[in-house]
Every structure is written in structure tokens, then in C-alpha cells.
Amino acid sequence: MSQAEKTYAEQVVSEYFYILDTEEMDSSVKDFKVNQFYDIVNRTEQQLGVKFDGTLIDPWNDVINETQDYGNREDLWLADALKVTRRDAKVKNRLNIIINHISDIKPIIDRDTNRTYYPAALPSEWAGGRTPAIS
């Protein structure tokens, strides 16, 4: 990418995206529950006088896991958290995207092309999302 292309890309992102980076040193939001995320989105729309077409949470496993409120059952908490996400999308007419990183998937080598690829994760591997350890 040339410097001109980089500058143009940064301008597009700056114009069309609002990024909440909870890991920035001066971020006012460090941790959030799924419903708090959509409350932040709604308040930001009101404060800026804009309407977001979509939201993205990446990674999903950074959302505060409230399993204690569901008898320590992740499946019940996840069902409710996803319901909050779907309802917000429907009511606000936006596309809500959740990124769920999977680890421990073994690569496959295609015998015909000798190319390596990772298969789609199975539902049993989603498990709320995991981030591989960094060494």
C-alpha cells in the first residue's frame, strides 16, 4: 500500500466509522456487558446526532460473561446475550456483527493443491470464543 492509499483509507475509516477501543489508555469504557454495549451505541448516536448502520464486537469473549446470573450456565447466558443483540438489530434496523475467535483448530492440507487452510469451526468449538495464548 502506498502512502497515498494509506492516507485515503484512514480518511474513509475516520469519516464512516466510530471505533470504541476499550484497550486505549484514555478509553472511558474498559469492560462492558452486552446490553451496556448497545446502550453506549444508542447514547453515542444521540450525542453525535447520527444513525449507525451497524455495530461490531471484536472479540466477543471481551464482553463480560454473566454466567453467575444463569446458574453458571454459559449456554443460557449466551442465548440471552444473543437475543439482546438480535433485538437491538431489529429495533434499531442495524446490522450487528459479533466476532468469535476460535483456537485449537487444526489446519488441513488439500492433497490436490498442497495448500493449507483452516476449516469452518464446529458449533461445539465456539464455546463463547477463545483467544489463543500469545507466547
Side-chain angles (χ1 to χ4, degrees):
M1 165 181 297
S2 70
Q3 184 60 41
E5 291 169 325
K6 179 181 182 282
T7 300
Y8 175 74
E10 288 171 343
Q11 289 172 344
V12 169
V13 169
S14 177
E15 183 176 351
Y16 294 105
F17 292 84
Y18 183 87
I19 299 172
L20 170 62
D21 185 349
T22 59
E23 295 182 3
E24 285 183 1
M25 293 299 291
D26 60 350
S27 176
S28 61
V29 177
K30 294 296 182 192
D31 296 306
F32 56 88
K33 298 175 183 178
V34 70
N35 60 332
Q36 291 172 322
F37 173 77
Y38 294 109
D39 288 344
I40 292 167
V41 171
N42 294 330
R43 281 196 317 271
T44 303
E45 282 183 332
Q46 290 175 345
Q47 290 170 354
L48 299 178
V50 298
K51 169 71 174 84
F52 293 128
D53 295 320
T55 66
L56 175 109
I57 297 175
D58 181 10
W60 174 253
N61 57 314
D62 277 356
V63 173
I64 294 173
N65 183 316
E66 302 174 271
T67 55
Q68 70 281 358
D69 296 339
Y70 297 86
N72 292 318
R73 290 200 40 199
E74 186 177 39
D75 60 324
L76 297 177
W77 166 75
L78 187 56
D80 201 36
L82 293 175
K83 186 185 302 180
V84 167
T85 301
R86 283 191 311 273
R87 284 183 177 161
D88 176 84
K90 187 173 185 176
V91 168
K92 298 295 183 170
N93 192 31
R94 44 177 177 235
L95 174 65
N96 291 337
I97 300 170
I98 296 170
I99 304 296
N100 185 27
H101 298 275
I102 307 295
S103 66
D104 301 331
I105 296 178
K106 306 298 182 226
I108 295 175
I109 300 174
D110 184 293
R111 293 180 187 185
D112 296 331
T113 64
N114 206 31
R115 296 181 91 178
T116 302
Y117 68 94
Y118 288 90
L122 300 171
S124 62
E125 295 170 317
W126 299 343
R130 296 182 295 162
T131 305
I134 299 174
S135 45

